[in-house]
Amino acid sequence: MSTITAKTQKLSIVQAVTDGLRTVMKEQEEVLVLGEDVGKNGGVFRATEGLQEQFGPDRVIDTPLSESGIVGTAIGLAINGFLPVVEMQFLGFIYPAYEQIMTHATRIRMRTLSHFHVPLVIRAPYGAGVKAPEIHSDSVEALFTHMPGIKVVCPSNPYDAKGLLIASIDDPDPVLFLEPMRSYRAFKDEVPTDRYTVEIGKASLVEEGTDLTLIAWGAMVPLAVKAAQKVRVQNIHCDVLDLRTLYPLDKEMIAESVQKTGRAVIVHEAHATSGLGTDIIALIQDTSFLYLKSPIQRVTGFDVPVPFYTLEQHYLPNEDRIIEAIHKAIQF
C-alpha cells in the first residue's frame, strides 16, 4: 500500500468511489468516465455526481442505452491511450456487453503479444437487499472470474473502495470493479483525502481468531463480522477474511488462515452452484486438506433468480444462517 497522509474525511462507499474518480481525473487527463446518465444526473446512484460539472462533457460522457456499445467504445479508447472508466448501472445490465468483454477486452494483450493493453475499468453495482426490480440484484461475479485477462475486485468498505478503484485505474489490464449497492450508504469510515492504493490480489484479515476461518466479500463482510462477534461469547473465535479481490484470489492468506484454524465457512450471496465458493473450496482442498478438522461449509444464495421484494431477505445469507454454519463446522 502506498504512503498516505494523516488527513482523512468520513465517507460512505459511494462517496469514496466519487472521491477516487475525482482524484485520478485531476491527475490524468486521459481518465474518462462513460455510462448511462453518468454526466448530468451523476449516475443512477449519484456515484459520478459533480464530475461532469468539474471536468466537462468531453471527459464525463453520457452514452446511449447500449452496454455493448459503451464497452466496445471504451475498449477502443483504452488501446489508444485513454483510461476509460465505464459505469454499468447494475451488474445485471452487463450481459449485452459480455461478448465485448470476454471476446475482446480480456484477449487483446495476448492477441497482440502485449503490443496493446486494455486499461479499462468497468464499475458495476451488484447484489440484492435494496428491493430493486428483476435483473437489478444479480450477483454473478463467477462469470467473470472464469476468464483470464480480467481482474475482479470487490470492496466492502469506503477505505478499500477508493484505494482499490485507484489501483484498478492504474492497472494496465481490464478490471471489473464490483460495488455492493446495499452497502453504498450503510456506514461511513475515515478515508484519506490524498491518493493511495490498495493492492489488487490481497485479502484483508478483518477479525482474528483460532477456531474457524470465515471468508466473505462485499456486502457479506459486515454480516460475517457480526456473526463472528456473536459466537465469540460462546468461546468461538473466528478469522474473518475479506477477499477484496475475487480474481486473482489471495491463495496464500486463505491457506494460511485455514491451516491455522482447521475449519472454514464461505459466505456469498451469489447462487450456490458454480459460485466462487466452489473455487475457494477447491483451493482449500489443494493447499490445506490435511489441516481440516471438519467439512467446509457454505452459506450462499439459492439456485433461483433473485426474488422480488418480500422474499428477497429469505434469499440472502443472514447472521443466523452464518452462525448455524459455524456451529456445524465446530461440532466435528
Side-chain angles (χ1 to χ4, degrees):
M1 192 179 298
S2 61
T3 303
I4 58 176
T5 67
K7 189 175 181 182
T8 62
Q9 54 190 330
K10 292 206 85 169
L11 300 177
S12 63
I13 288 179
V14 72
Q15 289 171 329
V17 168
T18 310
D19 194 47
L21 289 171
R22 183 178 291 111
T23 298
V24 292
M25 293 184 79
K26 286 179 180 177
E27 296 174 344
Q28 297 171 278
E29 292 185 355
E30 296 85 359
V31 178
L32 309 176
V33 174
L34 302 86
E36 299 160 6
D37 297 323
V38 297
K40 185 175 180 181
N41 289 335
V44 67
F45 290 102
R46 304 300 182 258
T48 57
E49 191 168 32
L51 295 182
Q52 189 179 75
E53 183 178 357
Q54 183 173 357
F55 298 103
D58 291 336
R59 294 188 62 197
V60 183
I61 304 164
D62 283 317
T63 66
L65 302 179
S66 172
E67 285 75 17
S68 61
I70 298 166
V71 173
T73 300
I75 292 170
L77 289 166
I79 64 176
N80 283 283
F82 291 95
L83 299 172
V85 180
V86 165
E87 179 181 294
M88 293 285 117
Q89 288 191 328
F90 297 88
L91 181 61
F93 292 2
I94 204 170
Y95 306 127
Y98 192 76
E99 190 274 335
Q100 289 284 354
I101 296 167
M102 295 314 209
T103 305
H104 301 292
T106 60
R107 298 171 186 264
I108 285 174
R109 181 206 270 260
M110 181 197 70
R111 187 180 293 157
T112 65
L113 301 179
S114 291
H115 289 291
F116 290 98
H117 296 250
V118 184
L120 163 66
V121 176
I122 302 173
R123 295 180 39 250
Y126 86 100
V130 299
K131 297 185 177 179
E134 185 187 9
I135 313 177
H136 292 64
S137 302
D138 289 7
S139 181
V140 289
E141 56 270 28
L143 293 179
F144 300 90
T145 60
H146 184 66
M147 175 58 74
I150 186 169
K151 300 177 179 71
V152 182
V153 302
C154 183
S156 68
N157 60 73
Y159 180 90
D160 287 348
K162 180 177 177 179
L164 280 170
L165 181 57
I166 295 174
S168 299
I169 296 170
D170 288 348
D171 197 284
D173 294 307
V175 179
L176 176 62
F177 190 85
L178 298 174
E179 300 168 7
M181 59 185 177
R182 69 183 287 188
S183 301
Y184 260 155
R185 294 176 173 84
F187 57 93
K188 292 186 176 183
D189 280 340
E190 296 292 341
V191 176
T193 56
D194 288 351
R195 170 191 247 273
Y196 66 95
T197 58
V198 172
E199 184 177 357
I200 294 174
K202 294 297 181 183
S204 172
L205 181 61
V206 181
E207 298 271 331
E208 192 165 359
T210 56
D211 299 315
L212 181 140
T213 300
L214 264 176
I215 301 171
W217 55 91
M220 297 297 100
V221 173
L223 287 178
V225 169
K226 290 178 181 177
Q229 291 171 345
K230 284 187 176 180
V231 299
R232 191 180 300 155
V233 300
Q234 302 165 355
N235 204 30
I236 301 171
H237 301 276
C238 300
D239 265 4
V240 179
L241 301 189
D242 178 356
L243 290 185
R244 300 198 294 194
T245 300
L246 308 184
Y247 186 85
L249 287 170
D250 190 343
K251 299 178 181 179
E252 291 75 18
M253 183 174 283
I254 294 170
E256 180 182 352
S257 177
V258 174
Q259 288 172 20
K260 177 181 72 173
T261 67
R263 300 178 177 89
V265 173
I266 302 161
V267 185
H268 64 70
E269 63 179 282
H271 311 304
T273 300
S274 299
L276 188 59
T278 58
D279 275 50
I280 298 169
I281 290 172
L283 168 63
I284 293 170
Q285 297 282 37
D286 289 344
T287 62
S288 312
F289 175 75
L290 295 179
Y291 295 84
L292 289 175
K293 301 173 184 176
S294 68
I296 302 164
Q297 304 295 320
R298 284 185 299 162
V299 182
T300 72
F302 300 104
D303 288 337
V304 297
V306 180
F308 291 132
Y309 315 135
T310 55
L311 292 176
E312 190 178 43
Q313 293 304 319
H314 296 283
Y315 169 88
L316 284 167
N318 56 39
E319 290 176 46
D320 290 341
R321 288 176 60 195
I322 297 171
I323 290 171
E324 181 181 356
I326 292 171
H327 286 158
K328 188 173 182 180
I330 290 292
Q331 286 170 2
F332 278 87

